[in-house]
């Protein structure tokens, strides 16, 4: 075991911590790069999770990152399936572009309808989100529930919504991989941009991080 006296702690000013983190991530990627704004999204997902698997599992449809940035700058709203993702998205900066964040998961009418219909609350949330999409561009950022992705795919197939971007990042073991594959196939077929971390990984923090990466992008 190393003694505490053997350890060297790098002194970094608070305002420089993120910059230093990004330098370390870039270095450890060993020269791998992506076109911007994809690269910013990849680095921020790694920064949030300390997991370099995101360098390999993030799938971007053609021009998805650029289209997401353009949608945000055009005032797109963001619909998410978790309060955690909603809390993590920078609403002030999004609001400066004219966008808002919507999460219906804890609404009493959503809970009641889900119970009556015998479905998940996330399913109902997607239907509420489709209503938002009738009036303005909408980005769906899914960080928890595969059922949200399944219902969103159905709504797209039914012609009830055409999202500006779909972020499909549920995490876990039951129907997670399958719902992501369904999302990529459905969105590809309908010409809808998507960003999906393939496999079991993801989560509300990743969904929020992808949104923030596009909100913060300065290119």
């Amino acid at each position: 075991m190393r003694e505490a006296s053997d350890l060297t702690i790098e002194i970094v000013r608070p305002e420089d911590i993120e910059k230093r983190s990004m330098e370390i991530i870039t270095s450890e990627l060993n020269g791998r790069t992506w076109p911007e704004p994809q690269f910013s999204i990849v680095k921020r997902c790694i920064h949030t999770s300390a997991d370099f698997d995101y360098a390999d599992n993030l799938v971007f449809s053609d021009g998805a990152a650029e289209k997401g940035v353009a949608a945000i700058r055009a005032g797109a709203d963001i619909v998410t399936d978790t309060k955690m993702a909603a809390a993590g998205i920078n609403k002030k900066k999004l609001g400066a572009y004219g966008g808002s964040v919507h999460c219906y998961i804890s609404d009493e009418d959503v809970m009641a309808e889900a119970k009556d219909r015998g479905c998940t609350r996330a399913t109902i949330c997607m239907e509420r989100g489709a209503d938002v999409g009738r009036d303005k561009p909408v980005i769906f950022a899914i960080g928890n529930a595969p059922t949200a992705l399944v219902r969103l795919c159905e709504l797209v197939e039914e012609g009830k919504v055409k999202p500006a971007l779909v972020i499909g990042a549920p995490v876990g073991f039951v129907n997670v991989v399958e719902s992501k594959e369904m999302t990529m196939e459905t969105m590809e077929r309908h010409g809808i941009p998507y960003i999906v971390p393939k496999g079991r990984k993801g989560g509300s923090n990743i969904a929020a991080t992808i949104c923030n990466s596009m909100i913060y992008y300065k290119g």
Side-chain angles (χ1 to χ4, degrees):
M1 180 179 295
R2 296 176 66 184
E3 298 291 336
S5 59
D6 295 332
L7 300 174
T8 300
I9 302 298
E10 182 180 0
I11 305 301
V12 183
R13 293 181 303 175
E15 62 270 26
D16 291 335
I17 290 174
E18 181 176 297
K19 178 176 180 290
R20 181 73 182 109
S21 296
M22 292 302 178
E23 289 171 351
I24 292 169
I25 290 167
T26 301
S27 173
E28 293 192 18
L29 284 170
N30 296 317
R32 295 180 66 187
T33 61
W34 289 256
E36 290 289 4
Q38 278 184 231
F39 197 16
S40 294
I41 293 172
V42 171
K43 287 189 292 185
R44 284 192 177 274
C45 286
I46 294 170
H47 180 248
T48 292
S49 62
D51 187 346
F52 277 83
D53 281 357
Y54 285 101
D56 297 304
N57 70 11
L58 279 170
V59 179
F60 298 81
S61 66
D62 187 33
E66 295 91 335
K67 291 171 184 175
V69 170
I72 286 168
R73 292 177 180 176
D77 283 2
I78 298 174
V79 172
T80 184
D81 64 328
T82 70
K83 294 177 73 174
M84 184 182 296
I89 296 169
N90 192 318
K91 289 173 279 295
K92 183 176 180 180
K93 286 188 177 294
L94 180 66
Y97 291 115
S100 300
V101 177
H102 305 272
C103 181
Y104 307 100
I105 200 75
S106 296
D107 290 4
E108 289 188 7
D109 61 331
V110 168
M111 292 188 279
E113 185 174 348
K115 184 176 181 180
D116 289 343
R117 288 170 52 182
C119 64
T120 67
R121 288 179 289 160
T123 295
I124 310 300
C125 288
M126 296 301 99
E127 295 171 2
R128 298 287 194 276
D131 291 338
V132 173
R134 291 195 180 99
D135 298 322
K136 63 185 308 188
V138 62
I139 292 170
F140 285 83
I142 312 306
N144 181 62
T147 54
L149 282 184
V150 171
R151 184 59 181 134
L152 182 57
C153 288
E154 291 173 347
L155 291 165
V156 167
E157 295 282 15
E158 293 164 7
K160 293 180 178 177
V161 66
K162 187 165 185 177
L165 174 70
V166 173
I167 299 166
V171 61
F173 301 94
V174 179
N175 292 326
V176 168
V177 174
E178 294 83 356
S179 67
K180 290 177 180 179
E181 294 294 333
M182 176 187 292
T183 297
M184 290 188 285
E185 292 174 6
T186 301
M187 303 310 152
E188 199 74 50
R189 190 162 55 249
H190 289 271
I192 295 170
Y194 60 82
I195 301 172
V196 173
K198 292 185 72 174
R200 294 171 170 175
K201 293 184 179 182
S204 298
N205 59 334
I206 294 298
T209 293
I210 294 171
C211 291
N212 285 335
S213 297
M214 295 184 295
I215 292 169
Y216 299 152
Y217 184 64
K218 296 179 180 179

